[in-house]
Amino acid sequence: APRQLPEGPVSSFLGNHYLGSGRLMATTPGHPVEVGLGPDLRVFCQRSLVERQRRENSPSPGLVSHLFHYRTMIASRRRDRVTLRLIEQLPTPDDNGVQVLLSGASASVPTEALHNASDHTVSWDIVLEPGGMAAVEFTFTLIVPQSGETQRRMSEEELLSVI
């Protein structure tokens, strides 16, 4: 931006067409301004649960482990190459002894999975050629202490609320 821009709301237009609203951060002269304009409707993602396993007394007595294996398919209908970042949110461990262990992450295109333990995410920078597709997979284990006298299975809704 050639001028200083204060922080605040912004409305984006392309000609007379309204694109959306957002919020700008304060910007000093000479620094770039980044404005998110929403999703590209020519890029599609579909996430599915490939496998789920429950093991009692695993990895040690008194613990229950729940393995989750997810696959995300990404397809582009763009006529040009597109670079995108896919970010998957892992469950957040809590103070009740719940642990989350990432055990695998892969992609069908050349990229490296980046695990950020501080914000509990796994991300991939993916380049898709025109009309291209990619598959990304990751597996994690949720380890939960059994609750003594009130041992019970966590319902799927309870597990997914942790995720």
Side-chain angles (χ1 to χ4, degrees):
R3 299 184 191 153
Q4 182 172 346
L5 297 174
E7 179 180 352
V10 63
S11 294
S12 300
F13 291 84
L14 180 59
N16 292 330
H17 300 286
Y18 175 72
L19 298 177
S21 298
R23 186 159 193 85
L24 281 180
M25 301 305 293
T27 306
T28 57
H31 288 88
V33 176
E34 189 172 303
V35 179
L37 299 176
D40 184 338
L41 299 178
R42 297 168 294 172
V43 178
F44 304 88
C45 291
Q46 181 179 15
R47 182 180 190 221
S48 58
L49 179 63
V50 176
E51 179 183 14
R52 177 179 169 193
Q53 295 179 8
R54 182 183 190 278
R55 294 187 182 133
E56 293 197 35
N57 296 313
S58 174
S60 61
L63 297 175
V64 178
S65 66
H66 301 270
L67 177 130
F68 295 89
H69 176 178
Y70 284 97
R71 177 180 300 126
T72 301
M73 299 297 296
I74 306 160
S76 172
R77 291 192 181 157
R78 293 174 57 117
R79 293 181 182 172
D80 56 342
R81 174 186 282 191
V82 62
T83 301
L84 57 95
R85 175 169 289 164
L86 175 67
I87 302 173
E88 291 283 3
Q89 179 71 52
L90 296 171
T92 303
D94 64 18
D95 295 332
N96 296 322
V98 174
Q99 302 173 53
V100 179
L101 306 172
L102 178 67
S103 54
S106 63
S108 65
V109 293
T111 185
E112 185 176 326
L114 303 172
H115 180 214
N116 186 332
S118 64
D119 69 1
H120 313 287
T121 60
V122 183
S123 62
W124 296 262
D125 290 332
I126 297 172
V127 176
L128 291 177
E129 296 299 327
M133 293 181 67
V136 171
E137 299 193 25
F138 71 104
T139 305
F140 66 89
T141 303
L142 187 65
I143 301 173
V144 182
Q146 289 179 337
S147 56
E149 296 177 10
T150 59
Q151 288 183 5
R152 62 181 179 83
R153 288 179 168 227
M154 292 178 79
S155 70
E156 184 169 345
E157 292 80 22
E158 290 173 308
L159 279 171
L160 294 177
S161 71
V162 175
I163 300 173

